Amino acid sequence: MIPKFKAHPWHGISAGENAPETVNVFVEIVPTDTIKYEIDKETGFLKVDRPQKFSNIIPALYGFVPRTYCDARVMKLAVDCGSTDVTMGDLDPLDICVLSSHNFNSGGILMEARPIGGFKMIDGGEADDKIVAVLIGDHAFGHFTDISQLPEAEVNRLMHYFLTYKNLPNEPAKCRIDEVYGVEHAREVITASMEDYNEKYTH
């Protein structure tokens, strides 16, 4: 019998059978969106977070890894990497952007991706890592295995978005990136976020 319900994208779907080497990704935003959508944690539906006020459009598919949570373990990884002013994780699912040469019309979809690195982003004292991944089987990006293999311009495009997407004119920057890391540390961050999730939610 087919179940008559839809799994919650955060809690009802696994991070992936082979996580952290490959992970499931729930995509919230695609590069053509001028609205920032995010998952409603209570219902699991996509909701409008805010219209994008300026020209900072996400250059990749963007979403989160199910059954992850950024808390004490993710924060500790940031501190261990030298981010001295970090006081907590951002208490959200782990963010991930997925590189693909294909056009996706809308978010609200599930896909499998291979993490290749990430950004150690700090947002107001919170560890807010952004994992960078490639779509499994993508003919242009699927062969990359580490962020160091990407063209510098591609990495800079992603960094520029995350460093500016919350900025308002005449206000100081809210976010910074302390480190661009490769695949091994990306897997550590994913594992830490899975452990943080298990501690908070599997009781």
Side-chain angles (χ1 to χ4, degrees):
M1 179 177 293
I2 299 175
K4 296 181 179 180
F5 63 87
K6 182 179 179 180
H8 193 293
W10 184 16
H11 302 295
I13 301 170
S14 77
E17 292 182 3
N18 298 315
E21 285 76 16
T22 60
V23 295
N24 288 326
V25 177
F26 183 79
V27 176
E28 298 166 298
I29 312 173
V30 301
T32 54
D33 285 331
T34 58
I35 301 290
K36 183 180 183 298
Y37 303 100
E38 66 176 29
I39 199 75
D40 180 71
K41 293 178 180 177
E42 181 177 352
T43 66
F45 286 98
L46 277 180
K47 68 176 182 179
V48 174
D49 180 38
R50 62 179 181 271
Q52 299 285 21
K53 296 181 180 179
F54 304 108
S55 59
N56 48 346
I57 303 300
I58 182 73
L61 304 168
Y62 184 71
F64 62 87
V65 180
R67 294 191 189 176
T68 61
Y69 185 67
C70 297
D71 201 355
R73 292 172 179 82
V74 173
M75 179 202 73
K76 184 178 184 303
L77 285 176
V79 172
D80 290 345
C81 289
S83 301
T84 56
D85 60 340
V86 180
T87 58
M88 58 188 294
D90 73 344
L91 307 183
D92 278 330
L94 179 62
D95 296 324
I96 185 168
C97 51
V98 181
L99 298 171
S100 172
S101 58
H102 296 274
N103 294 322
F104 291 82
N105 295 325
S106 64
I109 56 176
L110 188 67
M111 62 175 53
E112 187 180 11
R114 182 172 63 253
I116 62 171
F119 305 132
K120 187 69 66 183
M121 196 171 95
I122 309 301
D123 182 356
E126 298 178 357
D128 190 12
D129 285 73
K130 308 298 183 184
I131 300 299
V132 177
V134 296
L135 177 64
I136 297 292
D138 189 87
H139 66 277
F141 289 96
H143 65 284
F144 290 111
T145 58
D146 191 89
I147 198 171
S148 62
Q149 300 168 343
L150 290 178
E152 183 179 359
E154 193 70 42
V155 178
N156 287 340
R157 278 205 320 152
L158 292 169
M159 291 179 64
H160 180 265
Y161 173 79
F162 290 122
L163 288 171
T164 60
Y165 76 122
K166 290 188 177 181
N167 287 0
L168 295 174
N170 304 316
E171 289 188 4
K174 296 182 177 181
C175 304
R176 72 175 196 271
I177 291 175
D178 282 355
E179 181 186 6
V180 179
Y181 50 77
V183 62
E184 292 304 324
H185 190 74
R187 291 172 179 173
E188 291 182 19
V189 173
I190 295 166
T191 299
S193 68
M194 292 169 65
E195 292 172 349
D196 278 339
Y197 179 91
N198 288 336
E199 181 169 317
K200 182 171 180 63
Y201 289 106
T202 57
H203 300 303

